Amino acid sequence: MLLTNLAKSCFSNLRNVSGRGQALSAATTRLQHSQTEQQHPVPSTRPETSGAKSLMDIGTRRIFNEDHDLFRQSVRRFFQEEVVPHHKEWEKAGQVSREVWEKAGEQGLLGVMTPEEHGGIGGDLFSAAITWEEQMYSNCSGPGFALHSDIVMPYVINYGSKEQIKRFVPKLTAGTCIAAIAMTEPGAGSDLQGVRTYAKRDGSDWILNGNKVFITNGWMADLVVVVTVTNREAKTAAHGISLFLVEDGMKGFQKGRKLEKIGLKAQDTAELFFEDVRLPASALLGELNKGFYYLMNELPQERLVIADMAIASCEFMFEETRNYVLQRKAFGKTIAHLQTVQHKLAELKTDICVGRSFVDNCLQLHAERRLDPSTASMAKFWASDLQNKVATQCLQLHGGWGYMWEYPIAKAFVDSRIQPIYGGTNEIMKELIARTIVSQK
């Protein structure tokens, strides 16, 4: 409870920060603001990562303030005390414990942007980003907190009915209800218009049939947002897709095996099967046949989450490698004395700092509700590609030890490989970006 109270205290001044950019933009047009204030804004004294002692230092980056720093300290402590000591055990089990979900909820780390009346701490986007980044700094990919909080929960909060919000959101922020979103199917991945899962109306109810695959949090999920076709006669597939809330335990809803992956060993990823699942009308999320529109609205934030976590992973891998080369000896001195190693570290740090600058700009844009889908796609594909480049080169600098599972860089290496694939493959990201370049409109 101490950390919860600290978090709420930190956010007493942050609840409306996400609209700060718009407010400032409007304010500059007001006559009461002096010409001096407009021409000479107070500069931030916070160092950027390029000038910090460590890429993971607290107190850096102009998008944050001191309240964010206090929150980051509490989040960092949570991952070090409640996640890191148990992660090896969870890797063997293929899932984390329910206890860690509930502890995260108690500390206010789930649904950070959720208002207090729904059980959240009323934080802003930057506060949520701190939870994403600190998970990557801990090098523990098991807990699916980011997907639960900042990919799934927004669908319920933004499109759910008052009854749905009242029923589910407090439990989601408390960690007593784990959420997943079921988009991908065996024959439909990045192409969401290829979905075949179908819900047929039966009186006031719906009968759901189909199956989903590669569902993060799927094995432990208590609530699943299911993407399904509800109108096969629609003029386009996009006009016939809806979202439903499916609860664990519903007759006909079954979870397949936990999928064995090359990375993300502690993250439960599962197949889901729906066989004549009867859903009440109240299970429809939002309006009928508006599901694709909702997905397009929310996907930029999903891709921003992936991008920010990718850069944070790069920062972790760089610092892990820097520490290693400063200790590892060869030819009578540490390998950090070798010019080829020094130049490689210089290249890596430059790439990471460039990426961090761009992603921080995207965070600022999104906090001001100005992040467009194309820019989000740029961030996702570029940052996740960089993550894999950094993972490969940092492992190389570890030599044979980097190939050993006991070394953190090995886990970071295999975990990075999925990043260019989920959330829409990077090939699709380039396609989306290209459309805005060649469009005649």
Short mmCIF file of all heavy atoms in Angstrom, two decimals, residues 6-45:
data_model
loop_
_atom_site.label_atom_id
_atom_site.label_comp_id
_atom_site.label_asym_id
_atom_site.label_seq_id
_atom_site.Cartn_x
_atom_site.Cartn_y
_atom_site.Cartn_z
N LEU A 6 2.18 6.32 -2.64
CA LEU A 6 3.22 7.14 -3.27
C LEU A 6 2.85 7.43 -4.72
O LEU A 6 2.97 8.56 -5.19
CB LEU A 6 4.57 6.41 -3.23
CG LEU A 6 5.72 7.08 -4.00
CD1 LEU A 6 5.98 8.46 -3.43
CD2 LEU A 6 6.96 6.21 -3.94
N ALA A 7 2.37 6.39 -5.42
CA ALA A 7 1.99 6.57 -6.83
C ALA A 7 0.88 7.59 -6.95
O ALA A 7 0.91 8.48 -7.80
CB ALA A 7 1.57 5.24 -7.43
N LYS A 8 -0.16 7.48 -6.08
CA LYS A 8 -1.27 8.42 -6.16
C LYS A 8 -0.81 9.83 -5.83
O LYS A 8 -1.26 10.81 -6.42
CB LYS A 8 -2.39 7.97 -5.23
CG LYS A 8 -3.12 6.73 -5.74
CD LYS A 8 -4.31 6.38 -4.87
CE LYS A 8 -5.07 5.18 -5.45
NZ LYS A 8 -6.22 4.80 -4.63
N SER A 9 0.12 9.93 -4.88
CA SER A 9 0.66 11.24 -4.53
C SER A 9 1.41 11.85 -5.71
O SER A 9 1.27 13.03 -6.02
CB SER A 9 1.60 11.11 -3.33
OG SER A 9 2.24 12.34 -3.06
N CYS A 10 2.21 11.02 -6.37
CA CYS A 10 2.97 11.49 -7.54
C CYS A 10 2.03 12.05 -8.59
O CYS A 10 2.34 13.02 -9.27
CB CYS A 10 3.78 10.34 -8.15
SG CYS A 10 5.16 9.78 -7.15
N PHE A 11 0.83 11.42 -8.74
CA PHE A 11 -0.03 11.77 -9.85
C PHE A 11 -1.09 12.79 -9.51
O PHE A 11 -1.92 13.10 -10.33
CB PHE A 11 -0.66 10.50 -10.44
CG PHE A 11 0.37 9.66 -11.08
CD1 PHE A 11 0.71 8.43 -10.56
CD2 PHE A 11 1.07 10.13 -12.17
CE1 PHE A 11 1.71 7.68 -11.13
CE2 PHE A 11 2.08 9.38 -12.74
CZ PHE A 11 2.39 8.15 -12.23
N SER A 12 -1.04 13.33 -8.29
CA SER A 12 -1.96 14.41 -7.98
C SER A 12 -1.74 15.60 -8.91
O SER A 12 -2.64 16.37 -9.17
CB SER A 12 -1.79 14.85 -6.51
OG SER A 12 -0.49 15.35 -6.30
N ASN A 13 -0.50 15.72 -9.42
CA ASN A 13 -0.17 16.83 -10.32
C ASN A 13 -0.06 16.39 -11.77
O ASN A 13 0.31 17.16 -12.63
CB ASN A 13 1.16 17.46 -9.91
CG ASN A 13 1.10 18.07 -8.53
OD1 ASN A 13 0.11 18.66 -8.15
ND2 ASN A 13 2.17 17.89 -7.77
N LEU A 14 -0.38 15.10 -12.05
CA LEU A 14 -0.12 14.58 -13.40
C LEU A 14 -1.39 14.19 -14.15
O LEU A 14 -1.32 13.86 -15.31
CB LEU A 14 0.78 13.33 -13.32
CG LEU A 14 2.21 13.59 -12.88
CD1 LEU A 14 2.93 12.26 -12.73
CD2 LEU A 14 2.93 14.44 -13.89
N ARG A 15 -2.54 14.20 -13.51
CA ARG A 15 -3.71 13.58 -14.12
C ARG A 15 -4.07 14.17 -15.47
O ARG A 15 -4.58 13.48 -16.34
CB ARG A 15 -4.90 13.67 -13.17
CG ARG A 15 -4.71 12.83 -11.93
CD ARG A 15 -5.97 12.78 -11.08
NE ARG A 15 -5.68 12.12 -9.84
CZ ARG A 15 -5.57 12.73 -8.67
NH1 ARG A 15 -5.71 14.03 -8.61
NH2 ARG A 15 -5.30 12.05 -7.57
N ASN A 16 -3.83 15.45 -15.64
CA ASN A 16 -4.21 16.09 -16.89
C ASN A 16 -3.02 16.45 -17.76
O ASN A 16 -3.13 17.22 -18.69
CB ASN A 16 -5.03 17.35 -16.60
CG ASN A 16 -6.33 17.01 -15.91
OD1 ASN A 16 -7.01 16.07 -16.30
ND2 ASN A 16 -6.69 17.77 -14.88
N VAL A 17 -1.85 15.84 -17.47
CA VAL A 17 -0.64 16.17 -18.23
C VAL A 17 -0.77 15.78 -19.69
O VAL A 17 -0.23 16.43 -20.57
CB VAL A 17 0.59 15.50 -17.59
CG1 VAL A 17 1.81 15.65 -18.48
CG2 VAL A 17 0.88 16.15 -16.25
N SER A 18 -1.56 14.70 -19.97
CA SER A 18 -1.65 14.24 -21.35
C SER A 18 -2.23 15.29 -22.27
O SER A 18 -2.03 15.25 -23.47
CB SER A 18 -2.49 12.95 -21.43
OG SER A 18 -3.80 13.20 -20.97
N GLY A 19 -2.97 16.27 -21.73
CA GLY A 19 -3.51 17.33 -22.57
C GLY A 19 -2.68 18.59 -22.53
O GLY A 19 -3.06 19.61 -23.09
N ARG A 20 -1.54 18.52 -21.87
CA ARG A 20 -0.73 19.70 -21.64
C ARG A 20 -0.31 20.36 -22.95
O ARG A 20 -0.33 21.58 -23.08
CB ARG A 20 0.51 19.31 -20.84
CG ARG A 20 1.47 20.46 -20.60
CD ARG A 20 2.58 20.02 -19.65
NE ARG A 20 3.25 18.85 -20.15
CZ ARG A 20 4.10 18.13 -19.43
NH1 ARG A 20 4.33 18.44 -18.19
NH2 ARG A 20 4.69 17.07 -19.95
N GLY A 21 0.10 19.57 -23.95
CA GLY A 21 0.58 20.15 -25.20
C GLY A 21 -0.49 20.96 -25.89
O GLY A 21 -0.23 22.04 -26.41
N GLN A 22 -1.76 20.44 -25.90
CA GLN A 22 -2.85 21.16 -26.53
C GLN A 22 -3.13 22.46 -25.78
O GLN A 22 -3.39 23.49 -26.38
CB GLN A 22 -4.09 20.28 -26.57
CG GLN A 22 -3.93 19.08 -27.51
CD GLN A 22 -5.11 18.15 -27.41
OE1 GLN A 22 -5.68 17.95 -26.35
NE2 GLN A 22 -5.49 17.56 -28.52
N ALA A 23 -3.09 22.40 -24.44
CA ALA A 23 -3.35 23.59 -23.64
C ALA A 23 -2.31 24.66 -23.92
O ALA A 23 -2.63 25.85 -24.07
CB ALA A 23 -3.35 23.23 -22.16
N LEU A 24 -1.04 24.25 -24.00
CA LEU A 24 0.02 25.21 -24.27
C LEU A 24 -0.11 25.80 -25.66
O LEU A 24 0.13 26.99 -25.88
CB LEU A 24 1.39 24.56 -24.11
CG LEU A 24 1.79 24.24 -22.66
CD1 LEU A 24 3.13 23.50 -22.66
CD2 LEU A 24 1.90 25.50 -21.83
N SER A 25 -0.51 24.96 -26.61
CA SER A 25 -0.67 25.44 -27.98
C SER A 25 -1.73 26.53 -28.04
O SER A 25 -1.57 27.55 -28.71
CB SER A 25 -1.04 24.28 -28.90
OG SER A 25 -1.25 24.74 -30.20
N ALA A 26 -2.85 26.30 -27.33
CA ALA A 26 -3.91 27.30 -27.32
C ALA A 26 -3.48 28.55 -26.57
O ALA A 26 -3.80 29.68 -26.96
CB ALA A 26 -5.16 26.70 -26.69
N ALA A 27 -2.73 28.31 -25.49
CA ALA A 27 -2.33 29.44 -24.64
C ALA A 27 -1.45 30.44 -25.38
O ALA A 27 -1.49 31.64 -25.10
CB ALA A 27 -1.61 28.95 -23.40
N THR A 28 -0.64 29.97 -26.31
CA THR A 28 0.28 30.88 -27.01
C THR A 28 -0.46 31.88 -27.87
O THR A 28 0.13 32.88 -28.30
CB THR A 28 1.25 30.08 -27.90
OG1 THR A 28 0.52 29.27 -28.81
CG2 THR A 28 2.17 29.22 -27.05
N THR A 29 -1.74 31.64 -28.14
CA THR A 29 -2.52 32.58 -28.96
C THR A 29 -3.21 33.64 -28.11
O THR A 29 -3.84 34.55 -28.65
CB THR A 29 -3.58 31.81 -29.76
OG1 THR A 29 -4.53 31.24 -28.85
CG2 THR A 29 -2.95 30.72 -30.60
N ARG A 30 -3.11 33.51 -26.80
CA ARG A 30 -3.80 34.46 -25.92
C ARG A 30 -2.95 35.71 -25.69
O ARG A 30 -1.75 35.63 -25.48
CB ARG A 30 -4.14 33.80 -24.59
CG ARG A 30 -5.08 32.59 -24.76
CD ARG A 30 -5.28 31.87 -23.45
NE ARG A 30 -6.08 30.67 -23.67
CZ ARG A 30 -6.30 29.76 -22.75
NH1 ARG A 30 -5.77 29.89 -21.55
NH2 ARG A 30 -7.03 28.71 -23.03
N LEU A 31 -3.62 36.84 -25.67
CA LEU A 31 -2.89 38.09 -25.56
C LEU A 31 -2.23 38.29 -24.22
O LEU A 31 -1.24 39.01 -24.11
CB LEU A 31 -3.86 39.27 -25.83
CG LEU A 31 -4.39 39.37 -27.26
CD1 LEU A 31 -5.39 40.52 -27.35
CD2 LEU A 31 -3.24 39.61 -28.22
N GLN A 32 -2.77 37.63 -23.17
CA GLN A 32 -2.18 37.85 -21.85
C GLN A 32 -0.81 37.23 -21.69
O GLN A 32 -0.12 37.51 -20.72
CB GLN A 32 -3.13 37.34 -20.74
CG GLN A 32 -3.37 35.84 -20.73
CD GLN A 32 -4.65 35.48 -21.47
OE1 GLN A 32 -4.95 36.10 -22.48
NE2 GLN A 32 -5.38 34.51 -20.95
N HIS A 33 -0.41 36.39 -22.60
CA HIS A 33 0.94 35.82 -22.57
C HIS A 33 1.89 36.81 -23.23
O HIS A 33 1.71 37.19 -24.39
CB HIS A 33 0.97 34.47 -23.29
CG HIS A 33 0.46 33.36 -22.44
ND1 HIS A 33 1.26 32.40 -21.89
CD2 HIS A 33 -0.80 33.07 -22.04
CE1 HIS A 33 0.53 31.57 -21.18
NE2 HIS A 33 -0.73 31.95 -21.26
N SER A 34 2.87 37.21 -22.50
CA SER A 34 3.78 38.24 -23.00
C SER A 34 4.63 37.73 -24.16
O SER A 34 4.85 36.54 -24.31
CB SER A 34 4.70 38.72 -21.88
OG SER A 34 5.60 37.69 -21.52
N GLN A 35 5.11 38.69 -24.93
CA GLN A 35 6.00 38.35 -26.04
C GLN A 35 7.27 37.70 -25.53
O GLN A 35 7.81 36.77 -26.15
CB GLN A 35 6.36 39.64 -26.81
CG GLN A 35 7.14 39.40 -28.09
CD GLN A 35 6.25 38.80 -29.17
OE1 GLN A 35 5.03 38.90 -29.09
NE2 GLN A 35 6.85 38.17 -30.16
N THR A 36 7.73 38.12 -24.36
CA THR A 36 8.95 37.55 -23.78
C THR A 36 8.75 36.08 -23.45
O THR A 36 9.62 35.24 -23.72
CB THR A 36 9.34 38.31 -22.49
OG1 THR A 36 9.55 39.67 -22.82
CG2 THR A 36 10.60 37.72 -21.89
N GLU A 37 7.58 35.75 -22.88
CA GLU A 37 7.32 34.35 -22.52
C GLU A 37 7.27 33.48 -23.75
O GLU A 37 7.70 32.33 -23.74
CB GLU A 37 5.99 34.26 -21.75
CG GLU A 37 6.07 34.81 -20.34
CD GLU A 37 4.71 34.79 -19.67
OE1 GLU A 37 3.70 35.05 -20.37
OE2 GLU A 37 4.65 34.50 -18.48
N GLN A 38 6.72 34.02 -24.85
CA GLN A 38 6.61 33.23 -26.07
C GLN A 38 7.98 33.01 -26.71
O GLN A 38 8.25 31.96 -27.27
CB GLN A 38 5.67 33.93 -27.05
CG GLN A 38 4.21 33.95 -26.56
CD GLN A 38 3.29 34.56 -27.59
OE1 GLN A 38 3.52 34.45 -28.79
NE2 GLN A 38 2.24 35.23 -27.14
N GLN A 39 8.83 34.00 -26.63
CA GLN A 39 10.11 33.91 -27.30
C GLN A 39 11.18 33.22 -26.46
O GLN A 39 12.16 32.72 -26.99
CB GLN A 39 10.59 35.33 -27.67
CG GLN A 39 9.74 35.98 -28.76
CD GLN A 39 10.24 37.37 -29.11
OE1 GLN A 39 11.10 37.91 -28.42
NE2 GLN A 39 9.71 37.94 -30.18
N HIS A 40 11.00 33.21 -25.14
CA HIS A 40 12.01 32.66 -24.25
C HIS A 40 11.42 31.65 -23.27
O HIS A 40 11.29 31.93 -22.08
CB HIS A 40 12.71 33.79 -23.48
CG HIS A 40 13.31 34.83 -24.36
ND1 HIS A 40 14.46 34.61 -25.08
CD2 HIS A 40 12.90 36.09 -24.67
CE1 HIS A 40 14.75 35.70 -25.77
NE2 HIS A 40 13.81 36.60 -25.54
N PRO A 41 10.99 30.49 -23.77
CA PRO A 41 10.47 29.46 -22.87
C PRO A 41 11.55 28.98 -21.92
O PRO A 41 12.74 29.02 -22.24
CB PRO A 41 10.04 28.34 -23.82
CG PRO A 41 10.90 28.53 -25.04
CD PRO A 41 11.08 30.02 -25.16
N VAL A 42 11.11 28.55 -20.73
CA VAL A 42 12.07 28.05 -19.74
C VAL A 42 12.65 26.73 -20.24
O VAL A 42 11.91 25.77 -20.47
CB VAL A 42 11.39 27.85 -18.37
CG1 VAL A 42 12.39 27.28 -17.37
CG2 VAL A 42 10.82 29.17 -17.87
N PRO A 43 13.96 26.64 -20.44
CA PRO A 43 14.55 25.41 -20.96
C PRO A 43 14.57 24.31 -19.89
O PRO A 43 14.67 24.59 -18.70
CB PRO A 43 15.96 25.83 -21.35
CG PRO A 43 16.26 26.97 -20.42
CD PRO A 43 14.97 27.70 -20.22
N SER A 44 14.48 23.09 -20.35
CA SER A 44 14.58 21.96 -19.42
C SER A 44 16.05 21.76 -19.05
O SER A 44 16.94 21.87 -19.88
CB SER A 44 14.05 20.69 -20.09
OG SER A 44 14.33 19.55 -19.30
N THR A 45 16.26 21.48 -17.78
CA THR A 45 17.63 21.23 -17.33
C THR A 45 17.91 19.74 -17.22
O THR A 45 19.00 19.33 -16.81
CB THR A 45 17.86 21.87 -15.95
OG1 THR A 45 16.90 21.35 -15.01
CG2 THR A 45 17.72 23.39 -16.03
#
